[in-house]
Amino acid sequence: MLSGQPEPYPHLFQPLELGFTRLPNRVLMGSMHTGLEDVRGGYEKLAAFYAERAAAGVGLIVTGGVSPTFRGRLALTASQLSYRWQLGKHKCLTKAVHAAGGRLCLQLLHAGRYAMHPFALAPSAIRAPISPITPRAMSARQIETTIAAFVRSAELAREAGYDGVEVMGSEGYLINEFLCAHSNQRDDDWGGDFARRSRFALEIVRRMRERVGDDFIIIYRLSLLDLLPDGSDWHEVEQLAGAAEDAGATMINSGFGWHEVRIPTIAASVPRAAFVFASARLKSRLRIPLITSNRINTPELAENILANGQADMVSMARPFLADSEFMRKAAQGRAASINTCIACNQGCLDRVFKKQRATCMVNPRAGYETELNYVKTTVQKHIVVVGLGPAGMACASIAAERGHKVTAFEADKIGGQLNLSLRVPGKDEFAETIRYFSNRMQELGVELHLGESASAEHLLALDADAYVIATGVRPRIPEIEGIHHAKVHSYIDVITDAASVGESVAIIGAGGIGFDVATLLAHRASSNWPEQWYVQWGIDVDETSQHALLEAAEVDVVRAARKIYLCQRSSEKPGKHLGKTTGWIHRLSLRRAGVVMLNGVRYQRIDDAGLHIIKNQVAAILPVDTVVVCAGQLPNNQLAEQLQRHGKTVHLIGGARKAVELDAEAAIRQAAMLARDL
Ligand code: NAP
């Protein structure tokens, strides 16, 4: 920021007074499990991860969830804090964050019936629909020892140097399970009416406050919307918030939806700030600060929420994976340079579910701060990058950041296949990635040749030190009789509106792109957005509604704009290879839209009558007027061979290197690793 300029985000950068301490701004980096918590040597890497974000100015950071007991661990290998001998690794985190000028709270999370091991405990022995394990119902004694364990963990957290704790009371974990009849069918002092169901949560906060003293942050993460038919009603939410305040909570954080609920709460298709309405409703009932969250990913949006008085603080988690410098850039009025979280979940949650370390699709350094560093080069090279899709953009930017002279060619538009993705409903955030890398390349002085298809002769004449070929992919055209019929189009022509699509469509190929095309073709444009989204997922935003859910009859099941068949040859479940945390949303949306998904299909031919197939050894015709081919990709790598023949140093990255099973996450990671080593 130039001196004399007004603060770009006055509400965001307003300190928050907590009485015993003062937070420098209104941004909380929300709890995220990174996978580093559970591996040997992970805490040093985690310390670097948090410290980098603290140094850039995040007001307060909350760690990933750590269990207060053995049985409350999410998995048997997950973290627990119950004993003094466990303090060392936590001190390593607090020291690093404090040295960077930040503040850190430890999240205490008892997994309850979401624990993925046979020792799971819950208020009642009711299995969660997303778990294969039926938990044991807790005895009254186990309840008492669990409360004591939460208190002990908070005490140890204080000893480890944490500035406070967050008590995880939402998302369907143990505390939340006690609150709702859905999972609490006890008839003792811990179940029955709401006063008894909420006793577990409130005893934890009350006894914790007594033990840790007044000058220690206790955030209570409260489920504002369970999104369950038998979840808490609004009156109970307000009652609990008030009681948590009285019991000694410093702040209330907002949680939305249990993990088992089939309503998306953080995916890219969720409108930005979709759940802030519920925090805003609670805010006026509280004396202590209220934090809001979910799908808030830009400083402008956070500023507006605060300026409108909808919350006192804004929690963002994944946006800090996408850009560790988010707060510094916001403070400097450089929001256009922020690498924005596009809520894809591919690098973070999807990887964590596969027991891999969390990172970020648009920022592969996230979680790898000690390993993937873009060190300034001592020998400047001339690097030519051909193709500015995800791989090319990332490679050009990082190579230039390291001090190389970079010349980049793009025959079409910057962004490559991301330009197709962003046209798919629910994927418009991809535009942010293109914006970020475009700005970044310009800031770093990359010489851009846009709309120029570079020939091998032209490239050779540049006599560069290295050529990076990131020319992406071309669609595979399967050998099916009639594939050149007038009714057959490639996904590119359909997504870009270059081909007109009729009333009935068969899609050949049910991979990521087949699903995207089905979503696009099923979509009915609505001027009533995001209201339509709430109705589509059955969310009632009306204060008077009991459980924030619409009656089934009110839910506008959005039928597809046309008849759609989505076909694949393999007999596995269509969409099986989509992201773990988002695939179900795509499958459910298409099913509700009436899209027919066919697996185990053999394609016979395409003619005027439609697409002839054999399924279950029976011949059938899909009587369609349009066939869209989404049958995978082939690498576009001809240039590489020509340059190599002339003895040039050539690197192939992204789809040009390997088209099968490649996506933007792998492409950008590959590009970053190459650029680090150039
Ligand atoms: P893909 O996911 O590999 O799917 C290709 C589809 O084409 C499969 O359904 C395959 O199924 C079918 N196919 C392959 N060869 C065929 C042939 N000769 N004849 C007929 N059908 C054939 O590829 P994609 O959909 O093109 O996506 C490319 C990459 O982008 C993938 O890695 C994908 O994960 C990624 N992507 C991801 C998302 C996302 O939401 N995460 C969205 C878009 C793209 P059968 O062999 O069973 O017929």
Side-chain angles (χ1 to χ4, degrees):
M1 267 267 300
L2 298 174
S3 61
Q5 295 267 29
E7 256 304 326
Y9 306 107
H11 296 86
L12 200 66
F13 286 98
Q14 191 185 356
L16 181 63
E17 190 54 64
L18 297 178
F20 56 92
T21 188
R22 192 173 197 238
L23 302 179
N25 56 54
R26 304 302 181 105
V27 174
L28 177 103
M29 176 171 144
S31 175
M32 282 181 286
H33 184 79
T34 64
L36 287 167
E37 298 81 356
D38 316 331
V39 295
R40 191 179 285 272
Y43 270 71
E44 286 78 16
K45 293 175 183 167
L46 200 54
F49 167 75
Y50 289 138
E52 193 168 303
R53 277 109 188 127
V58 178
L60 182 64
I61 297 175
V62 179
T63 67
V66 169
S67 177
T69 68
F70 173 75
R71 297 180 77 146
R73 294 176 179 205
L74 266 166
L76 286 178
T77 51
S79 313
Q80 177 187 347
L81 178 57
S82 305
Y83 309 102
R84 295 203 70 234
W85 60 263
Q86 294 167 322
L87 289 178
K89 56 188 186 179
H90 291 278
K91 284 183 179 166
C92 149
L93 298 186
T94 56
K95 232 186 249 164
V97 169
H98 291 157
R103 288 176 168 77
L104 188 63
C105 286
L106 177 77
Q107 189 188 69
L108 292 174
L109 181 155
H110 188 302
R113 65 183 196 157
Y114 287 163
M116 288 298 157
H117 55 69
F119 309 107
L121 289 177
S124 302
I126 306 170
R127 188 175 62 82
I130 53 170
S131 172
I133 294 152
T134 302
R136 253 174 194 247
M138 293 167 85
S139 66
R141 187 162 174 276
Q142 276 171 326
I143 292 174
E144 283 293 347
T145 54
T146 305
I147 295 171
F150 266 100
V151 174
R152 174 72 180 141
S153 296
E155 188 181 37
L156 288 169
R158 183 171 185 137
E159 201 175 327
Y162 285 104
D163 299 278
V165 291
E166 176 171 83
V167 176
M168 184 44 159
S170 64
E171 262 68 10
Y173 294 113
L174 183 71
I175 294 176
N176 211 174
E177 287 160 19
F178 266 95
L179 290 164
C180 300
H182 178 70
S183 44
N184 182 351
Q185 293 180 0
R186 305 176 70 96
D187 55 7
D188 60 0
D189 291 346
W190 306 97
D193 58 16
F194 188 67
R196 282 180 288 166
R197 279 183 274 129
S198 56
R199 207 176 137 216
F200 182 69
L202 295 171
E203 281 301 298
I204 289 173
V205 177
R206 190 180 63 73
R207 294 189 209 174
M208 198 177 269
R209 175 57 74 206
E210 271 173 22
R211 183 76 64 85
V212 295
D214 290 335
D215 55 348
F216 190 66
I217 297 170
I218 298 177
I219 303 169
Y220 181 78
R221 180 104 183 253
L222 195 149
S223 183
L224 267 55
L225 304 172
D226 292 320
L227 301 176
L228 291 167
D230 48 1
S232 298
D233 65 32
W234 187 251
H235 173 68
E236 290 170 340
V237 168
E238 280 186 355
Q239 207 180 316
L240 178 64
E245 182 175 75
D246 293 342
T250 318
M251 293 190 270
I252 301 285
N253 195 358
S254 308
F256 305 105
W258 288 36
H259 287 318
E260 67 202 57
V261 166
R262 283 303 178 230
I263 297 174
T265 53
I266 61 166
S269 54
V270 176
R272 286 182 176 181
F275 294 99
V276 170
F277 75 90
S279 303
R281 195 190 286 167
L282 183 63
K283 188 175 155 7
S284 59
R285 320 289 157 101
L286 287 175
R287 299 186 305 275
I288 58 176
L290 177 68
I291 306 161
T292 192
S293 78
N294 286 44
R295 284 289 283 125
I296 301 166
N297 59 349
T298 69
E300 289 82 355
L301 191 53
E303 172 69 16
N304 286 343
I305 291 165
L306 296 165
N308 294 338
Q310 292 172 295
D312 302 287
M313 200 169 186
V314 169
S315 170
M316 291 178 265
R318 295 169 299 171
F320 288 104
L321 291 175
D323 199 332
S324 62
E325 298 275 309
F326 183 105
M327 291 302 284
R328 184 172 289 135
K329 291 175 184 173
Q332 292 171 345
R334 296 171 49 225
S337 300
I338 292 175
N339 196 356
T340 303
C341 165
I342 59 169
C344 67
N345 287 357
Q346 282 174 249
C348 51
L349 284 166
D350 286 346
R351 282 172 62 100
V352 167
F353 272 99
K354 285 188 262 173
K355 300 211 176 339
Q356 295 169 346
R357 192 191 309 183
T359 179
C360 176
M361 183 180 102
V362 298
N363 173 27
R365 262 200 85 238
Y368 290 79
E369 284 72 14
T370 59
E371 294 144 278
L372 183 58
N373 280 308
Y374 310 137
V375 179
K376 276 263 175 276
T377 180
T378 48
V379 184
Q380 192 192 47
K381 293 183 188 164
H382 181 201
I383 311 289
V384 169
V385 177
V386 188
L388 289 174
M393 294 191 298
C395 188
S397 307
I398 298 166
E401 178 180 333
R402 292 194 50 229
H404 291 306
K405 171 176 157 49
V406 180
T407 308
F409 293 86
E410 168 53 53
D412 194 358
K413 284 201 295 195
I414 292 185
Q417 296 249 349
L418 297 188
N419 287 299
L420 300 180
S421 302
L422 66 85
R423 298 176 80 120
V424 175
K427 293 199 165 181
D428 48 334
E429 292 278 9
F430 275 106
E432 300 288 357
T433 306
I434 300 177
R435 183 260 310 149
Y436 166 74
F437 280 114
S438 300
N439 281 349
R440 190 80 187 127
M441 287 188 288
Q442 267 159 31
E443 274 173 7
L444 292 161
V446 173
E447 190 183 309
L448 290 170
H449 296 262
L450 303 180
E452 260 186 62
S453 184
S455 65
E457 294 70 41
H458 186 137
L459 295 174
L460 285 167
L462 293 173
D463 196 24
D465 297 299
Y467 294 85
V468 178
I469 305 301
T471 37
V473 291
R474 59 198 154 89
R476 175 190 286 124
I477 311 294
E479 287 178 17
I480 302 171
E481 190 187 323
I483 194 74
H484 298 296
H485 191 283
K487 68 170 63 173
V488 183
H489 303 290
S490 95
Y491 68 85
I492 298 176
D493 289 345
V494 169
I495 295 179
T496 56
D497 281 338
S500 73
V501 176
E503 292 300 304
S504 52
V505 185
I507 299 171
I508 293 181
I513 292 180
F515 266 77
D516 276 358
V517 167
T519 304
L520 179 76
L521 295 180
H523 184 68
R524 283 181 188 277
S526 165
S527 53
N528 197 19
W529 184 261
E531 288 75 11
Q532 188 204 14
W533 181 84
Y534 293 109
V535 176
Q536 192 180 333
W537 290 101
I539 303 168
D540 194 348
V541 295
D542 188 348
E543 182 160 7
T544 55
S545 102
Q546 267 259 307
H547 300 292
L549 294 177
L550 295 169
E551 296 294 324
E554 294 176 86
V555 177
D556 167 19
V557 178
V558 184
R559 304 297 293 179
R562 44 174 68 87
K563 181 79 200 167
I564 300 172
Y565 301 92
L566 180 57
C567 312
Q568 68 179 31
R569 296 170 307 173
S570 135
S571 54
E572 53 187 24
K573 183 170 81 170
K576 185 171 176 222
H577 300 286
L578 297 175
K580 171 87 180 157
T581 60
T582 51
W584 66 270
I585 304 171
H586 300 303
R587 286 190 295 269
L588 186 57
S589 304
L590 292 188
R591 260 207 310 276
R592 285 187 180 164
V595 172
V596 179
M597 296 182 214
L598 298 172
N599 56 1
V601 165
R602 273 173 48 210
Y603 305 111
Q604 293 295 94
R605 66 178 185 284
I606 302 161
D607 59 20
D608 290 347
L611 174 63
H612 297 249
I613 60 167
I614 295 183
K615 175 149 168 74
N616 301 332
Q617 287 155 358
V618 177
I621 305 177
L622 305 180
V624 295
D625 49 35
T626 308
V627 174
V628 187
V629 179
C630 306
Q633 327 275 334
L634 297 171
N636 228 349
N637 54 13
Q638 301 86 333
L639 265 179
E641 274 171 37
Q642 297 170 31
L643 295 171
Q644 269 159 344
R645 249 186 271 132
H646 286 83
K648 295 295 175 193
T649 305
V650 177
H651 303 276
L652 271 167
I653 54 170
R657 177 174 172 167
K658 185 173 175 250
V660 177
E661 287 176 14
L662 186 99
D663 58 24
E665 197 255 320
I668 294 177
R669 185 155 24 95
Q670 230 171 56
M673 287 164 78
L674 170 66
R676 172 196 59 183
D677 299 335
L678 278 171

